[in-house]
Amino acid sequence: MTVLDNRALNRATLARQLLLERADVPVLDAVAHLGGLQAQEPQEPFVGLWSRVRAFDPAVLSDLLTGRSVVRTHLMRRTVHLVTADDALAWRARHDAMLRQRVLGTYRRELDGVDLEELAAAGRAVMADGEPRSMTELARALAERWPAPGSRPLGEMLIAALIPMVQLPPRGLWRTRAGVRNVPLSSWLGREIDPPSPDGADPVGQALVRRYLAAFGPAASADLRAWCGLAGLPAAVTALREELVTFRDERGRELLDLPGAPRPDPGTPAPVRFLPAFDNVILGYHDRGRIIDDAHRGLSVAGARVVLVDGRVAATWSVEAGTVIVTPLYRFARADRTAVAEQGQALASFLSDDDSDRVRIAASSD
């Protein structure tokens, strides 16, 4: 079995993630290909798409949100993701059990004794008037009936797990600050969520495997689980094995992949890329060694924005007074420093609507 080293995996990942070269694709197609973008920080998907889509216009993504072609909803790993409407409807039921378990993992004591089906029905009855509500507002509407748990546990169970919801615009629009207002997913899209398969088969699980490998492969089953948070996909992987190809990584783990998916030469040059907080190119793996050193693994979990140099996390970045500030994790070579500065200037221009192209590279943090 062919062994793929970290550099080979890195280049495959960059190619699948549209980071080896920006893609000439519609924004909606990019969101679909990526399997959604992590979006608990509302403005971060704009940077993620700017780094991936050629001539990206942020107004297009805003229009997709207001036009109901993409939605912000709790999905993979119980985090807010920006996904296409079609994917939200197709995938949501498959995530139900995981979402409940993850909320219970945080609030099991508070929600002990609460009948979740009864709570869900009561929550849907409140939301039936079509009025958008914050999590706190929905929880308060039910607090008299369930006073013991407290509003936060009730609200999170309802919003993140029991009732498939979307976060309404203007939340998530370009350069817009807005609180979270929720409405049921099906009412916002005018379509019902796809029900689970009645025959015990798992077509959605199989679709998730294919989609994950297209955007993240080659990858191990543990990586797939880290991306979606679903533990029950071994049967889907088994059902697809005959159509997949397999490799090994340097640790001996089996890696799965689609046979025709890009696996560029490991020597392929990789351009500098600025990534947003919580980007899935890092969080979408259990073993993140293909793109980030173990010593810096905590950066992505903490929400640091990072810079890729030669395909690997090499710096963090922030913005102050219109200036993109880059803090290297190690001393840059001269050519890399120049490339980081050029891409930083482009990012500053994007974020400021060409009002500023200032970039400052700080001293390395090592």
Side-chain angles (χ1 to χ4, degrees):
M1 191 179 294
T2 302
V3 174
L4 300 177
D5 63 19
N6 265 353
R7 190 173 176 88
L9 293 175
N10 175 271
R11 292 312 193 251
T13 296
L14 296 179
R16 312 290 174 91
Q17 285 285 308
L18 314 182
L19 292 167
L20 205 54
E21 56 181 331
R22 285 183 170 91
D24 287 307
V25 298
V27 173
L28 183 63
D29 291 354
V31 174
H33 168 75
L34 295 166
L37 293 93
Q38 187 123 334
Q40 64 262 49
E41 296 293 337
Q43 295 297 298
E44 300 302 298
F46 291 94
V47 175
L49 288 167
W50 173 81
S51 287
R52 291 171 163 95
V53 176
R54 197 179 309 279
F56 171 65
D57 180 356
V60 172
L61 181 57
S62 289
D63 288 345
L64 290 172
L65 276 162
T66 57
R68 311 189 189 197
S69 294
V70 300
V71 296
R72 293 170 48 82
T73 186
H74 287 88
L75 204 60
M76 284 77 79
R77 308 187 299 277
R78 195 172 75 90
T79 54
V80 177
H81 272 70
L82 180 79
V83 295
T84 68
D86 288 343
D87 284 344
L89 292 168
W91 294 354
R92 181 52 170 79
R94 186 63 178 81
H95 287 73
D96 278 352
M98 177 273 293
L99 293 170
R100 291 188 183 201
Q101 287 305 311
R102 293 218 169 187
V103 177
L104 285 174
T106 303
Y107 298 113
R108 190 172 302 276
R109 180 178 58 82
E110 292 87 343
L111 293 169
D112 183 46
V114 175
D115 185 316
L116 296 185
E117 298 308 320
E118 187 180 344
L119 178 62
R124 285 192 293 268
V126 171
M127 298 301 298
D129 62 5
E131 288 297 315
R133 287 177 172 83
S134 69
M135 183 177 72
T136 300
E137 288 168 342
L138 178 55
R140 283 176 179 167
L142 300 172
E144 184 175 342
R145 188 167 172 183
W146 286 280
S151 63
R152 184 79 187 191
L154 277 183
E156 287 207 25
M157 178 56 81
L158 287 160
I159 297 292
L162 295 181
I163 307 175
M165 296 279 202
V166 297
Q167 296 184 354
L168 289 190
R171 179 77 169 180
L173 301 184
W174 179 236
R175 291 183 183 157
T176 301
R177 296 177 64 88
V180 178
R181 310 287 288 174
N182 303 282
V183 296
L185 174 64
S186 56
S187 64
W188 176 246
L189 296 181
R191 292 182 282 164
E192 291 302 316
I193 293 165
D194 294 354
S197 180
D199 59 2
D202 191 9
V204 177
Q206 293 178 31
L208 285 168
V209 173
R210 292 190 187 97
R211 294 282 295 278
Y212 175 75
L213 294 177
F216 293 87
S221 294
D223 297 319
L224 168 66
R225 188 166 60 250
W227 169 69
C228 64
L230 300 175
L233 290 176
V237 170
T238 299
L240 295 178
R241 272 199 174 273
E242 289 191 3
E243 70 179 67
L244 303 178
V245 294
T246 57
F247 303 93
R248 295 278 181 194
D249 66 11
E250 293 176 303
R251 294 167 47 194
R253 297 190 314 160
E254 180 187 55
L255 305 176
L256 307 171
D257 205 5
L258 303 174
R263 289 180 290 274
D265 186 292
T268 303
V272 168
R273 290 289 184 258
F274 282 70
L275 298 182
F278 305 112
D279 196 286
N280 273 341
V281 75
I282 301 174
L283 296 184
Y285 296 98
H286 177 261
D287 181 357
R288 299 168 185 166
R290 68 181 65 194
I291 200 163
I292 187 169
D293 294 343
D294 283 346
H296 306 306
R297 181 185 175 103
L299 290 175
S300 56
V301 179
R305 297 156 158 177
V306 299
V307 184
L308 302 183
V309 175
D310 192 27
R312 298 188 63 79
V313 172
T316 60
W317 67 275
S318 59
V319 180
E320 294 180 14
T323 300
V324 170
I325 299 172
V326 178
T327 303
L329 299 174
Y330 56 81
R331 189 180 299 276
F332 288 156
R334 180 175 297 179
D336 291 337
R337 186 181 182 89
T338 299
V340 168
E342 290 175 351
Q343 195 65 198
Q345 287 179 315
L347 176 61
S349 294
F350 168 72
L351 294 174
S352 67
D353 195 21
D354 295 324
D355 187 54
S356 167
D357 65 353
R358 297 187 300 274
V359 61
R360 178 166 62 87
I361 300 178
S364 62
S365 61
D366 63 2

